[in-house]
Amino acid sequence: MALACFLAGCAAPDTRPTNAPLELVTGALPTASPPQGGDVAIVLAVSGGGARSAAFGYGVLASLAREPSTAAGRNLADDVAVAAGVSGGAMLASYFALYGPAGLPGFKRDFLARNAEASLRTSFGPANLLRGYRGGVNDRNGLPPWLDANLYHGATLGMLDRPGRPKLVIHATDLYNRAPFIFDRASFAAICSNFDDYPLAYAVAASAAVPVAFAPITLRNYRSKCPPDAEVAKAAAARSAFRPETLLEQEYRESLDRYRSADDLNFLKLYDGGLVDGIGTSTLLHLLNRGAPEPLPAETASGVRHLLFVVVDASTRLGGNLSETPDSPSAKDAIVAATDALMNVPNLQSFDELRRRLPSWRQEVVRWRCDKAGARASCRDLDVSIVRVALADVREPATARRILALHNTLALKPQDAAFLSDLGGRLLVQQPSYRRFLQRLGRD
């Protein structure tokens, strides 16, 4: 143990806060974005699952980019108004939100063709065991600098709020509240912190910070520096006025309130977002419940006629060789399967709840549009649909076995990245609800 302590430097992981206080209340005001340019909008959510989910989601986006939209010169990737992601899916969503559809080839070059784990401690030995015991094998000096150097190049959350870019929705797990921390203005307002200058690489790393393998990304709660009557204090409590509050919605709202009221909540310890929402649908529900037109930008919601939610689920929940013999599974296999089991049902439930919620949310958006001054006669013209593209739905035995062999790592062999990307595109176009959506566009 003494040798392990020497090798590990006997130092706790670097968990210094990564955020700054909000010095000007006006800094929390959103920047307006122009309309997307057509009457079609897509809300895309990409699940966790490391490089596997990033490659799978990349294939879905590439397929959208090959499909023409209703406006001349545009494709459906141009119509992505909201890009949501968790963990590996957050890496893709953030890259897409930063560079737009034109940057898609760059993601293949900058992430899928590289080994993000080269920046990490991944060996299984006494030194890393000690690091894990002390709070995390890897800390803020590992993955965040790699993400910034290779993908985001100094980008901040405020830089993403630019004209013509998709709205980014990523989250991590706030360990104190056992709830999602959404990297948006309302959440930063709740801790009276500067949103615009927060590095994108830290936000993405927090969304992918698997406990023990990673130390948490830490935010300081600056509530003592907030004026009690500041406008930012009101943003956290907003919710839909047209429907009763669910227990999940109530718990999320109360978690935001606790940032102001809990005396012992001085630092937020943020871990992998998949702990509370592995596919991004629960987070989208929280935004829907803030009131129309969330999560859509107001300018997009004002003119959209055809809206599609695309949920990309790269989790692998079934199968494997655990049941071929009576032998006990290895520790690694047991942990992976147990983690999948813990997340499986909540993920499916949140997708089902989002699908059930959309009809009433559509009515709220229509009401919001028609109540606006100078509302157009077509304010009620809005169709909303949802499609799920899931690796777990693959039934062909050889393909399913290959999928199960691709674990939650941050690196893929080139042939595996190509396999997953191709599969994502093919599964999307096979979905009946997606084909019906395309038919509606073709009738315009």
Side-chain angles (χ1 to χ4, degrees):
M1 182 60 72
L3 177 60
C5 184
F6 171 76
L7 293 173
C10 279
D14 185 353
T15 56
R16 289 172 295 165
T18 55
N19 60 319
L22 178 64
E23 297 179 353
L24 296 173
V25 173
T26 54
L29 296 177
T31 302
S33 298
Q36 291 290 310
D39 60 358
V40 179
I42 293 175
V43 176
L44 176 72
V46 185
S47 78
R52 184 186 66 239
S53 65
F56 189 54
Y58 173 85
V60 171
L61 269 172
S63 180
L64 291 172
R66 291 190 292 269
E67 192 68 42
S69 184
T70 56
R74 292 177 64 87
N75 60 61
L76 291 185
D78 294 318
D79 293 327
V80 174
V82 179
V86 191
S87 191
M91 297 178 187
L92 172 64
S94 298
Y95 194 95
F96 184 77
L98 181 60
Y99 300 110
L104 269 178
F107 185 77
K108 185 176 181 180
R109 176 196 65 232
D110 295 339
F111 182 76
L112 296 180
R114 291 180 176 173
N115 180 11
E117 294 189 353
S119 66
L120 305 178
R121 301 184 181 101
T122 58
S123 63
F124 188 81
N128 280 346
L129 287 174
L130 182 60
R131 289 189 179 95
Y133 180 78
R134 291 179 67 88
V137 178
N138 298 279
D139 60 19
R140 54 176 275 179
N141 299 306
L143 184 58
W146 188 95
L147 292 172
D148 194 58
N150 292 278
L151 299 182
Y152 308 126
H153 307 290
T156 64
L157 294 180
M159 290 172 60
L160 297 179
D161 195 0
R162 296 183 302 177
R165 295 305 188 203
K167 176 180 178 178
L168 178 64
V169 178
I170 61 175
H171 72 277
T173 297
D174 171 11
L175 212 59
Y176 182 100
N177 280 307
R178 279 70 162 175
F181 180 90
I182 304 173
F183 285 90
D184 67 354
R185 293 184 184 277
S187 299
F188 275 74
I191 60 173
C192 209
S193 180
N194 189 303
F195 170 85
D196 289 309
D197 294 337
Y198 191 76
L200 179 59
Y202 279 136
V204 175
S207 185
V210 176
V212 181
F214 293 91
I217 296 295
T218 302
L219 299 181
R220 183 173 178 179
N221 188 349
Y222 292 102
R223 63 179 180 275
S224 63
K225 298 180 181 294
C226 257
D229 59 346
E231 182 64 26
V232 294
K234 304 174 185 177
R239 72 179 183 90
S240 171
F242 301 110
R243 60 189 303 272
E245 191 172 53
T246 65
L247 286 176
L248 182 65
E249 186 180 336
Q250 176 184 331
E251 177 59 27
Y252 174 67
R253 178 178 56 79
E254 291 177 352
S255 73
L256 292 177
D257 292 342
R258 278 191 286 272
Y259 293 138
R260 296 301 179 93
S261 62
D263 292 336
D264 57 345
L265 212 174
N266 300 316
F267 297 92
L268 285 65
K269 308 298 174 61
L270 303 182
Y271 282 104
D272 193 305
L275 298 175
V276 290
D277 178 14
I279 57 177
T281 46
S282 181
T283 299
L284 287 176
L285 278 165
H286 290 314
L287 296 183
L288 262 66
N289 291 333
R290 288 182 182 174
E294 284 274 16
L296 292 177
E299 295 79 7
T300 301
S302 296
V304 64
R305 294 177 56 214
H306 307 289
L307 176 61
L308 178 67
F309 284 70
V310 180
V311 178
V312 181
D313 186 354
S315 57
T316 56
R317 293 184 289 267
L318 300 176
N321 57 6
L322 302 179
S323 299
E324 292 179 354
T325 72
D327 299 335
S328 177
S330 68
K332 178 181 178 181
D333 288 343
I335 291 172
V336 170
T339 302
D340 284 345
L342 286 171
M343 298 171 62
N344 178 27
V345 172
N347 286 346
L348 295 176
Q349 288 174 329
S350 68
F351 176 83
D352 284 340
E353 177 58 24
L354 178 61
R355 182 167 51 185
R356 285 192 294 266
R357 176 75 173 89
L358 287 181
S360 61
W361 175 78
R362 177 199 169 275
Q363 294 176 357
E364 294 169 20
V365 173
V366 166
R367 185 182 295 112
W368 173 84
R369 297 198 319 184
C370 295
D371 286 348
K372 291 174 61 177
R376 294 178 293 183
S378 60
C379 61
R380 298 184 180 278
D381 186 6
L382 174 63
D383 61 76
V384 180
S385 54
I386 186 169
V387 59
R388 175 173 171 266
V389 185
L391 283 178
D393 289 342
V394 172
R395 295 291 182 261
E396 198 279 316
T399 304
R401 284 194 299 271
R402 184 173 181 183
I403 292 170
L404 285 168
L406 301 174
H407 300 298
N408 290 11
T409 64
L410 292 179
L412 287 171
K413 296 178 180 178
Q415 62 269 29
D416 291 331
F419 161 73
L420 288 165
S421 297
D422 177 70
L423 190 58
R426 288 193 288 114
L427 290 179
L428 173 65
V429 299
Q430 291 172 6
Q431 297 300 315
S433 54
Y434 180 64
R435 294 200 297 269
R436 289 193 293 270
F437 173 77
L438 296 181
Q439 289 171 358
R440 288 195 295 273
L441 301 189
R443 288 197 295 265
D444 282 359

